[in-house]
Amino acid sequence: VNVNPLASPPGPPIVFGVRPGNATCLAAARPSLGNYAFSATSPSLFLATDRRTGLKQIPGNSNFWFVADRAGILIRFANQPTVNTSAQALNISDRVAIDGERGLLGFAFSPYFASDGTVFVSYVTGTHSRISKFTSSNGGQTFADSPMQEEVVFEQVQINSNHNGGDLHFGPDGYLYLSLGDDNTRALSQNLNDLRGSLIRIDPFNNDVLPVNASTTVRNYAIPADNPFVNTPGVMPEIFAYGFRNPWRFSIDRVTGGVWLGDVGETDREEIDLVEPGKNYGWPHKEGTLCYNTTPCDSTDWIDPVVEYSRSEGISVIAGYVYRGSALPELSGKLIFSEWSSGVVWALDFDPLTGEGTRVAIGNVGTFSVVSWGQDNAGEIYAVANDHPRLVAAGGSPQVFPQKLSETGCVSVADPRQKVTGMIPYSVNMPLWSDAALKHRWLALPDNSYISVAADGHWNLPIGSVLVKEFVVDGILAETRLMMRHDDGNWAGYSYKWNAAGTDADLVLAGSTVDTGSRIWQIPSATQCFQCHTDAAGQTLGMETAQLNRNFEYLGAGEANQITALTGLSLLIANPGNPNSTSNRQPVHTA
């Protein structure tokens, strides 16, 4: 391995004035578990409402579904492929406010429903978020719903009509969990004497006669003895975790008990959190991994998300469920979640050993805006959209991403340390500090495509481009990172860890480490790559005129200014002042 950072790294020689052809080092399709469709289960059932917020079955009874209408109605219908009739099981529309984001926002059947016939609902009255209990004497066909038959369990002041949260679930522990937004009042998320901006955990089957205050006006429940803030002065003991903005949807894995929460962002990030008891998830100090109104924001007290994505990809993350069904075994153990505005559906592949997760796009709901998700008693998953729930169903073969560096088309299959024709080495004026590692860089463009330069000096590489960076740590070839610009125009990062023999490198989406003998080298996850490769930085950090305007020693061609060389190779538009100009492009040569 050539470890001299000032010399041309291993690769094919360059001939000035002749553009090398690139037939293989091109951005691969994003990793995919397969293409999934959403087949309608009840095409004519929900014509009466377009305001669904939840979909559930009674524990132990798969004969029926219940769907929540934001106006304050629970609708009951048979669990059959085609259903044309439904009935109201509960109607509390006379006390539910539906302005803004208010309404009936969640519901959960008692885990002891067979004996107590109870459903708990989460709704907003106009001034309060409320959990109330209703009871059925006929197996859930109807619930006694008059105000006199409503038992209010919990009531929290809500001043504003948005950021109410409102999702409601029982965990395998038998306790009830409720998400509460920050009431569009950012500071509340860090106020441990207020429940807004937190996930709370209560025992609604017992009553400790808890004192109320100006914020919590009803508290008819007990506090689980293992809640993280029990007996902590100045802290509401209901709080399970805090520091959330608007946790619109969350779910609890029926196998592991893990709490997966989607927190809707404000300006830059949407996030999925694996919620741990007593932890602070950062809002409003942080939005995802980014500083929001606190600089620096590197406190270890603030927990980063497992997965985040830029709001340029979409707004309003919709957390779903961990798949525990049998119809789609390749999704087993993966969290299914979606994006409200773009319709993209993802599976989250989580590594509990590293705590890192990677999202993989598995489909798109098209024109249907998913607002929530449902899971049946068998563990199958359904989308709750603006027309009707639609079953997640297989519809195509998986898109397998290159698992080894030798499969990427950017290196020789026989010797992955050697780069293929079309890989152009480059260097930068001010590289990021990488703990004294030596780094080599290459770029590869699709044939007949060009780099344009924006007025601010940022270089715009065409779709299909690949940037490669190789890390030599303590004399050991440790890692090769690839940045690929995919068909959707966005960049994504992929890290490959070299084996001990130096014969190939394996894809490590969730991050890994390399023991060099003298230290442990950290390989970032795909998510961590974008802590530096942000939208504000243009995602490609080194692709700037100021960084690339320097001399470089090219193998087989000698020293030259990189901008002059790339222009002569017909890779860079020769008139940076007019990125759309084609008049000064060099003639295209391929070899």
Side-chain angles (χ1 to χ4, degrees), residues 403-534:
Q403 298 298 298
K404 292 186 177 296
L405 186 62
S406 59
E407 298 170 355
T408 62
C410 297
V411 298
S412 166
V413 175
D415 182 2
R417 293 172 298 179
Q418 297 297 320
K419 307 304 175 285
V420 298
T421 300
M423 299 283 287
I424 310 297
Y426 72 96
S427 186
V428 296
N429 280 314
M430 298 188 67
L432 290 175
W433 172 252
S434 298
D435 201 15
L438 299 176
K439 294 179 284 188
H440 296 131
R441 300 171 176 83
W442 295 263
L443 62 84
L445 271 60
D447 288 338
N448 300 315
S449 66
Y450 306 90
I451 302 169
S452 63
V453 182
D456 63 359
H458 179 73
W459 289 21
N460 182 39
L461 277 64
I463 286 174
S465 296
V466 180
L467 298 174
V468 177
K469 184 158 56 176
E470 199 168 73
F471 293 79
V472 178
V473 185
D474 299 337
I476 294 174
L477 184 55
E479 175 192 357
T480 299
R481 294 180 196 169
L482 275 63
M483 288 281 290
M484 294 184 173
R485 191 173 190 193
H486 292 294
D487 289 345
D488 59 6
N490 291 315
W491 289 87
Y494 306 95
S495 293
Y496 289 83
K497 175 181 176 180
W498 282 87
N499 59 32
T503 57
D504 209 342
D506 297 306
L507 180 67
V508 286
L509 286 175
S512 186
T513 60
V514 176
D515 187 348
T516 70
S518 60
R519 58 173 160 162
I520 302 298
W521 174 258
Q522 297 286 337
I523 297 178
S525 68
T527 299
Q528 287 174 319
C529 286
F530 284 91
Q531 292 181 14
C532 295
H533 292 271
T534 63

Side-chain angles (χ1 to χ4, degrees), residues 166-183:
D167 207 5
L168 195 65
H169 297 275
F170 277 97
D173 53 18
Y175 296 127
L176 187 60
Y177 295 71
L178 169 71
S179 63
L180 289 167
D182 69 359
D183 198 14

Side-chain angles (χ1 to χ4, degrees), residues 69-91:
D69 181 333
R70 193 163 68 92
I73 302 169
L74 276 185
I75 300 171
R76 176 179 177 270
F77 60 97
N79 183 16
Q80 298 173 359
T82 301
V83 179
N84 294 312
T85 59
S86 62
Q88 290 186 7
L90 176 70
N91 189 335

